[in-house]
Amino acid sequence: MAVRPVGDEDVRLLSVLPGPSFGTRTEGTAGMGEDLGALAAQAPAGRPAEPEEIAYLASDAASFVHGAVLPVDGGRTAV
């Protein structure tokens, strides 16, 4: 992976690999909450991610994160 400066454009290159998470696609889907909970329980975090926890990576608070592939899965890929 290559990251090159783009002047003062403040461009960052990230690839986020989300694991089980709540969001608009899961709201109102019968059984989805239970399925997510069971899947997420297998990870060290033991719960699905909230949308804000993933969206944080696009915020100014994470502006020092560049050129990374980040699994955001509650530690599931670490075990």
Side-chain angles (χ1 to χ4, degrees):
M1 176 186 320
V3 178
R4 288 187 262 157
V6 188
D8 294 330
E9 296 297 319
D10 194 28
V11 174
R12 296 184 290 143
L13 177 64
L14 296 176
S15 178
V16 178
L17 311 169
S21 60
F22 291 115
T24 56
R25 292 181 183 232
T26 60
E27 290 175 4
T29 306
M32 184 60 77
E34 294 82 15
D35 292 344
L36 276 175
L39 184 61
Q42 300 170 14
R47 62 174 179 76
E50 295 295 333
E52 301 82 30
E53 293 174 303
I54 297 170
Y56 166 81
L57 295 168
S59 74
D60 288 340
S63 64
F64 200 69
V65 180
H66 287 262
V69 176
L70 302 168
V72 182
D73 62 4
R76 187 180 168 109
T77 54
V79 292

